[in-house]
């Protein structure tokens, strides 16, 4: 797959670690010029070093995606400087864990601002560019929490559900213009956040992983493979889907026993 994306330009939000970083690295490895944005300058610098050390082309931008004007301006700027914008990955995320009785409206609004509002702003800006140039591809990173209910995660889950349905709506508008828009739906992924959780609550983490049909969380690289596929020409007739990449979790009907017959 090396060189499959030569000459193409991509933007990845929340690209300094986890799924975003793995995706930026994979896109660069396959020949794309990748603009990575995130809030933490030090992590961005490390991401740039890693991507360039592997021979990729990368630029970094310190940005909070809830600065909507700056987000739209960044997308316009990247496209103007490179003469095109072929791919956008909306990966930045926010989550708050709390029961409804303790969930503040500010927490609710923050999760929606990052997980839904910023995706709308970025997709709208990118679509305008892609329609004019005759095509492009966008992948939004949703969550299994957006298609299945979980306790203590109402704001995150509701915002991811909004993102998933927005993806389908945007795909309908982009389809006749050659702009494909899809979502991936990760389950548990082995990121710095889940590793910290495993250190704090190893028994709960083990039970969570065991409840996944494949018996483990996903690796960021496995999610990146799915994203890069949906961005690639190999997915040229795929738009409007929400693809679970979760070890079978979304398909699972949980049973508290295993009957062998």
């Amino acid at each position: 797959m090396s060189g499959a994306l030569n000459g193409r330009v991509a933007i990845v939000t929340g690209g300094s670690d986890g799924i975003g970083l793995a995706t930026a690295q994979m896109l660069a490895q396959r020949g794309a010029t990748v603009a990575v944005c995130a809030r933490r300058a030090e992590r961005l610098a490390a991401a740039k070093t890693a991507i360039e050390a592997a021979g990729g082309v990368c630029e970094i931008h310190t940005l909070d995606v809830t600065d909507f004007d700056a987000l739209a301006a960044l997308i316009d700027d990247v496209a103007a400087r490179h003469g095109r914008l072929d791919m956008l990955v909306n990966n930045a995320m926010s989550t708050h864990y709390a029961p409804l009785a303790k969930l503040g409206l500010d927490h609710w609004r923050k999760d929606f601002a990052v997980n839904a509002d910023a995706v709308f702003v970025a997709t709208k800006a990118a679509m305008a560019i892609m329609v004019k140039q005759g095509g492009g591809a966008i992948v939004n990173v949703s969550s299994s929490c957006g298609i299945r209910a979980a306790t203590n995660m109402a704001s995150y889950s509701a915002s991811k559900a909004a993102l998933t349905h927005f993806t389908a709506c945007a795909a309908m508008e982009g389809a006749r213009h050659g702009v494909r828009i899809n979502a991936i739906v990760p389950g548990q992924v082995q990121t710095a956040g889940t590793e910290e959780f495993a250190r704090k609550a190893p028994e709960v983490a083990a039970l969570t992983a065991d409840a996944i049909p494949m018996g483990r969380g996903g690796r960021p690289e496995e999610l990146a493979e799915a994203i890069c596929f949906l961005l690639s020409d190999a997915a040229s007739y795929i738009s409007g889907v929400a693809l679970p990449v979760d070890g079978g979790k979304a398909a699972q009907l949980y049973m508290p026993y295993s009957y062998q017959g």
Side-chain angles (χ1 to χ4, degrees), residues 20 39-40 46 60 108 162 169 177 200-201:
R39 291 180 296 118
R40 298 177 179 88
I60 56 175
W108 176 274
C169 293
H177 301 282
K200 292 180 177 178

mmCIF file of all heavy atoms in Angstrom, residues 20 39-40 46 60 108 162 169 177 200-201:
data_model
loop_
_atom_site.group_PDB
_atom_site.id
_atom_site.type_symbol
_atom_site.label_atom_id
_atom_site.label_comp_id
_atom_site.label_asym_id
_atom_site.label_seq_id
_atom_site.Cartn_x
_atom_site.Cartn_y
_atom_site.Cartn_z
ATOM 1 N N GLY A 20 -5.968 8.698 16.168
ATOM 2 C CA GLY A 20 -5.604 9.787 15.270
ATOM 3 C C GLY A 20 -4.163 9.723 14.830
ATOM 4 O O GLY A 20 -3.847 9.894 13.645
ATOM 5 N N ARG A 39 -4.602 19.693 20.560
ATOM 6 C CA ARG A 39 -4.462 20.768 21.540
ATOM 7 C C ARG A 39 -3.078 20.833 22.168
ATOM 8 O O ARG A 39 -2.631 21.901 22.573
ATOM 9 C CB ARG A 39 -5.510 20.609 22.643
ATOM 10 C CG ARG A 39 -6.943 20.867 22.193
ATOM 11 C CD ARG A 39 -7.926 20.682 23.332
ATOM 12 N NE ARG A 39 -7.948 19.305 23.811
ATOM 13 C CZ ARG A 39 -7.620 18.930 25.035
ATOM 14 N NH1 ARG A 39 -7.213 19.836 25.929
ATOM 15 N NH2 ARG A 39 -7.685 17.665 25.395
ATOM 16 N N ARG A 40 -2.385 19.713 22.292
ATOM 17 C CA ARG A 40 -1.135 19.656 23.053
ATOM 18 C C ARG A 40 0.071 19.762 22.126
ATOM 19 O O ARG A 40 0.368 18.840 21.365
ATOM 20 C CB ARG A 40 -1.082 18.363 23.857
ATOM 21 C CG ARG A 40 -2.207 18.258 24.891
ATOM 22 C CD ARG A 40 -2.144 16.917 25.611
ATOM 23 N NE ARG A 40 -3.193 16.807 26.620
ATOM 24 C CZ ARG A 40 -4.416 16.358 26.375
ATOM 25 N NH1 ARG A 40 -4.752 15.988 25.140
ATOM 26 N NH2 ARG A 40 -5.310 16.274 27.344
ATOM 27 N N ALA A 46 6.014 15.529 18.930
ATOM 28 C CA ALA A 46 6.457 14.137 18.933
ATOM 29 C C ALA A 46 5.852 13.370 17.764
ATOM 30 O O ALA A 46 6.520 12.531 17.145
ATOM 31 C CB ALA A 46 6.077 13.471 20.251
ATOM 32 N N ILE A 60 2.003 20.256 11.453
ATOM 33 C CA ILE A 60 1.221 20.201 12.685
ATOM 34 C C ILE A 60 0.639 21.572 13.011
ATOM 35 O O ILE A 60 1.203 22.612 12.673
ATOM 36 C CB ILE A 60 2.062 19.687 13.868
ATOM 37 C CG1 ILE A 60 3.322 20.530 14.066
ATOM 38 C CG2 ILE A 60 2.412 18.214 13.667
ATOM 39 C CD1 ILE A 60 4.128 20.140 15.310
ATOM 40 N N TRP A 108 -22.173 18.250 29.308
ATOM 41 C CA TRP A 108 -23.003 17.862 28.158
ATOM 42 C C TRP A 108 -22.635 18.702 26.941
ATOM 43 O O TRP A 108 -22.403 18.180 25.846
ATOM 44 C CB TRP A 108 -24.473 18.039 28.529
ATOM 45 C CG TRP A 108 -25.458 17.780 27.425
ATOM 46 C CD1 TRP A 108 -25.892 18.680 26.476
ATOM 47 C CD2 TRP A 108 -26.135 16.556 27.140
ATOM 48 N NE1 TRP A 108 -26.803 18.093 25.632
ATOM 49 C CE2 TRP A 108 -26.969 16.785 26.021
ATOM 50 C CE3 TRP A 108 -26.136 15.293 27.734
ATOM 51 C CZ2 TRP A 108 -27.794 15.800 25.477
ATOM 52 C CZ3 TRP A 108 -26.960 14.304 27.199
ATOM 53 C CH2 TRP A 108 -27.763 14.559 26.084
ATOM 54 N N ALA A 162 -25.328 11.465 17.572
ATOM 55 C CA ALA A 162 -25.570 12.590 16.667
ATOM 56 C C ALA A 162 -24.550 12.604 15.541
ATOM 57 O O ALA A 162 -24.889 12.823 14.371
ATOM 58 C CB ALA A 162 -25.519 13.903 17.452
ATOM 59 N N CYS A 169 -26.399 11.797 6.900
ATOM 60 C CA CYS A 169 -27.049 12.941 6.239
ATOM 61 C C CYS A 169 -26.070 13.660 5.306
ATOM 62 O O CYS A 169 -26.423 13.998 4.165
ATOM 63 C CB CYS A 169 -27.570 13.916 7.286
ATOM 64 S SG CYS A 169 -28.929 13.272 8.292
ATOM 65 N N HIS A 177 -21.662 14.594 -5.793
ATOM 66 C CA HIS A 177 -20.501 15.448 -6.060
ATOM 67 C C HIS A 177 -19.181 14.688 -5.913
ATOM 68 O O HIS A 177 -18.115 15.301 -5.943
ATOM 69 C CB HIS A 177 -20.503 16.646 -5.110
ATOM 70 C CG HIS A 177 -21.735 17.491 -5.216
ATOM 71 N ND1 HIS A 177 -21.929 18.401 -6.234
ATOM 72 C CD2 HIS A 177 -22.846 17.543 -4.429
ATOM 73 C CE1 HIS A 177 -23.101 18.998 -6.073
ATOM 74 N NE2 HIS A 177 -23.678 18.495 -4.988
ATOM 75 N N LYS A 200 -5.601 1.500 36.943
ATOM 76 C CA LYS A 200 -6.380 1.911 38.110
ATOM 77 C C LYS A 200 -7.402 0.847 38.509
ATOM 78 O O LYS A 200 -7.705 0.685 39.695
ATOM 79 C CB LYS A 200 -7.101 3.234 37.821
ATOM 80 C CG LYS A 200 -6.173 4.425 37.683
ATOM 81 C CD LYS A 200 -6.964 5.691 37.395
ATOM 82 C CE LYS A 200 -6.067 6.915 37.322
ATOM 83 N NZ LYS A 200 -6.834 8.154 36.995
ATOM 84 N N ALA A 201 -7.969 0.169 37.525
ATOM 85 C CA ALA A 201 -9.023 -0.822 37.798
ATOM 86 C C ALA A 201 -8.790 -2.068 36.955
ATOM 87 O O ALA A 201 -9.534 -2.350 36.022
ATOM 88 C CB ALA A 201 -10.395 -0.214 37.510
#
